[in-house]
Amino acid sequence: MGDGTLPGVQSRSEARIVLHVDMDCFYASCERLRDPSLAGEPVVVGMGFEPGESHGAVATASYEARKYGVESAQPISQALDALPRMADARDDPDLDVGDAGYYRPVDMSFYKSVAGEVKAILHDVADTVREVSVDEAYLDVTDRTGWETVADGDRTLAEGYGRYVKQRIAREVGVPASVGVAPNMSTAKIASDYDKPDGLVVVRPDRVRQFLEPLPVDELHGVGPVTASELRSMGIETAGDLARADPAVLGDRFGERGRELYARARGDDDRPVTPTGRPKSLSRESAFTEPTTEPSRKRETVLALAADVADRATQRGALYRTIGIKVVTPPYDVHTRANSLPGPVDDPALVEEVALSLLEEFEADPVRKLGVRVSKLSFGDEEQTSLDGFAAGSGDDEADASTDAEPRPDRSTPGEERSSGQVSLGDFGSRDAGS
DNA sequence: TCTGGGGTCCTAGGACCC
DNA sequence: TCTGGGGTCCTAGGACCC
């Protein structure tokens, strides 16, 4: 440990510097941004909070609301039991206004606009930014700062940089963030979570192992309830236990993931921070208030979801090669069905048709939730692996690189004459439809 | 925990090909 | 109808994450 105690000096290290930026209860913070009177109040944001709706779940709870036991993913009914609506508390003499909260419906487009301001800062402070979700990103700032300790002893330049990023977000956007700084992604992720909200946790390269050592396994990214309880049954409670376990045994038990977890627990993670990529799939789903058997309701729902997904794909310039559905039957059995096409298309009518035909199998089943998904996406500006000799512009395809907003202009009228310019679809879906 | 919505990655078995 | 191996694609399901 006797490194770099000289004033402002180099303990020269090749270690990377990765920041994980995690916005604190982001949706609630956004709500406070447009309604400052919510500052310091319990705020709950979720689906199903519109007047007249009674099912849905919590997307985000402010830390004040969490004190009452409100958690994200909690059913709305439970949240309301733990923390009544302010409006109800005012009307009801039995309820205490001091123990009530503010409920807001999710307003994604607003949150995205706030997130856009945050992202602009992130791209300004880092060369490489990987956005994981609307409220979370990894940054590689190796070239912008260093692991050198500064004069007063224990602090590093990297810590100052992390503080700077946090403060810029707070000052310029007005929302709090927690930042983790570490030599790799998995440790940075844990660090940002370590002192939420409004945290700044720095894990120097020489302290990674001791930082991870005492953490319960389920705080590792990638360890959920199933893996955690299996690990515990093996006597592995902490990251330290995991780091000392036999990697071969972990490999046998959990496959590739086991070996990966072992490495992460030891602080070994050399995944580079790669820029945010294209989506791999697009989906839309919705739940019924209660399970339904009615075939017509199911079909209508699937049609609406299909139209929605296809529309989003079109807007994002995505072509899809696989169309699938998801059917959740009571108690909570998830079934998926999918069909792949001979080549990528942008064809809303086909999404509806395929989704409906896949649904037929569940005609008689009670269903609590339905979803439609398109996957195997490709994008207009990518190199088009030309399908069965169709060669979308054989010879000179760099010419249409500019048409990325409208990848396949030939596809116009949904319904009639499909596959005019696209790959021929053959008798898609006739697999179980007979003939 | 009686469970919302949008994603990612991994695995396993089968079809099919050489 | 005993049988080899290697590779790819597809589908379904599972675990996990925010």
Side-chain angles (χ1 to χ4, degrees):
Chain A
M1 271 242 146
D3 63 340
T5 33
L6 296 173
V9 167
Q10 75 265 14
S11 70
R12 174 224 44 200
S13 150
E14 295 88 70
R16 294 176 297 148
I17 304 171
V18 176
L19 257 62
H20 183 254
V21 177
D22 200 337
M23 310 303 297
D24 303 315
C25 54
F26 184 58
Y27 299 176
S29 299
C30 290
E31 293 297 336
R32 284 173 170 160
L33 208 52
R34 68 173 156 198
D35 181 358
S37 75
L38 296 177
E41 300 286 345
V43 177
V44 182
V45 181
M47 278 113 349
F49 292 160
E50 293 83 353
E53 288 200 55
S54 60
H55 76 119
V58 174
T60 304
S62 75
Y63 285 80
E64 294 80 358
R66 290 179 203 194
K67 285 185 197 143
Y68 290 89
V70 179
E71 294 166 19
S72 73
Q74 196 171 51
I76 178 178
S77 53
Q78 260 178 53
L80 288 167
D81 283 346
L83 178 73
R85 276 175 207 272
M86 187 59 71
D88 296 342
R90 289 201 178 107
D91 294 348
D92 187 339
D94 291 343
L95 296 175
D96 184 351
V97 178
D99 283 323
Y102 295 86
Y103 285 75
R104 296 287 184 270
V106 172
D107 179 357
M108 216 40 201
S109 61
F110 176 59
Y111 309 150
K112 280 188 177 160
S113 74
V114 179
E117 296 176 38
V118 175
K119 279 185 215 161
I121 294 172
L122 300 185
H123 283 277
D124 191 46
V125 301
D127 301 307
T128 310
V129 176
R130 180 179 191 81
E131 291 151 26
V132 180
S133 67
V134 71
D135 62 353
E136 194 187 325
Y138 292 93
L139 282 58
D140 188 320
V141 296
T142 309
D143 295 338
R144 305 285 186 105
T145 180
W147 281 119
E148 294 89 336
T149 48
V150 290
D152 68 344
D154 217 32
R155 306 210 164 167
T156 57
L157 292 176
E159 176 179 337
Y161 202 75
R163 191 180 313 281
Y164 158 71
V165 172
K166 245 171 89 72
Q167 286 174 351
R168 274 196 65 183
I169 297 169
R171 209 179 309 122
E172 296 174 28
V173 186
V175 292
S178 289
V179 172
V181 186
N184 60 52
M185 291 173 72
S186 63
T187 310
K189 164 86 181 163
I190 293 169
S192 72
D193 209 43
Y194 196 76
D195 191 27
K196 268 180 157 294
D198 202 28
L200 172 63
V201 173
V202 180
V203 185
R204 291 161 43 165
D206 56 333
R207 309 245 172 109
V208 170
R209 279 296 288 271
Q210 73 191 74
F211 170 72
L212 298 174
E213 168 77 34
L215 298 175
V217 284
D218 52 6
E219 286 181 27
L220 298 174
H221 195 62
V223 176
V226 176
T227 308
S229 78
E230 208 167 333
L231 284 170
R232 276 193 287 266
S233 79
M234 299 165 74
I236 298 172
E237 308 268 348
T238 65
D241 295 340
L242 192 51
R244 284 183 296 270
D246 182 348
V249 171
L250 294 169
D252 285 352
R253 201 83 163 235
F254 302 102
E256 192 46 44
R257 253 183 62 247
R259 284 181 281 272
E260 215 173 80
L261 288 173
Y262 171 77
R264 303 283 161 75
R266 301 172 67 86
D268 298 334
D269 175 13
D270 55 11
R271 289 172 301 161
V273 178
T274 52
T276 318
R278 307 292 199 136
K280 305 273 201 283
S281 68
L282 297 170
S283 66
R284 189 125 265 184
E285 57 189 66
S286 89
F288 296 105
T289 320
E290 56 190 57
T292 183
T293 328
E294 247 179 278
S296 63
R297 272 192 81 193
K298 291 188 253 176
R299 281 196 299 268
E300 277 165 33
T301 303
V302 159
L303 280 179
L305 294 169
D308 233 86
V309 168
D311 186 57
R312 260 202 309 154
T314 305
Q315 281 177 34
R316 302 172 71 150
L319 303 179
Y320 32 88
R321 237 178 56 101
T322 299
I323 298 167
I325 64 167
K326 169 168 150 180
V327 179
V328 181
T329 57
Y332 204 82
D333 296 324
V334 179
H335 311 272
T336 58
R337 295 293 181 269
N339 274 177
S340 286
L341 311 170
V345 299
D346 171 14
D347 187 339
L350 188 63
V351 178
E352 295 183 4
E353 183 185 322
V354 171
L356 272 188
S357 84
L358 292 170
L359 179 67
E360 282 173 26
E361 182 187 340
F362 302 93
E363 176 112 54
D365 298 303
V367 166
R368 63 187 312 163
K369 193 181 206 179
L370 288 168
V372 174
R373 165 191 313 266
V374 294
S375 55
K376 300 238 174 71
L377 303 186
S378 53
F379 292 84
D381 55 4
E382 276 172 11
E383 206 157 321
Q384 206 85 245
T385 24
S386 70
L387 296 312
D388 56 7
F390 219 92
S394 53
D396 51 4
D397 14 26
E398 59 251 342
D400 49 40
S402 55
T403 59
D404 54 339
E406 190 78 89
R408 291 299 194 115
D410 53 284
R411 184 83 254 117
S412 48
T413 47
E416 298 287 54
E417 60 103 30
R418 80 176 28 107
S419 74
S420 48
Q422 289 166 33
V423 195
S424 75
L425 300 168
D427 58 343
F428 192 71
S430 62
R431 227 157 74 281
D432 43 14
S435 84

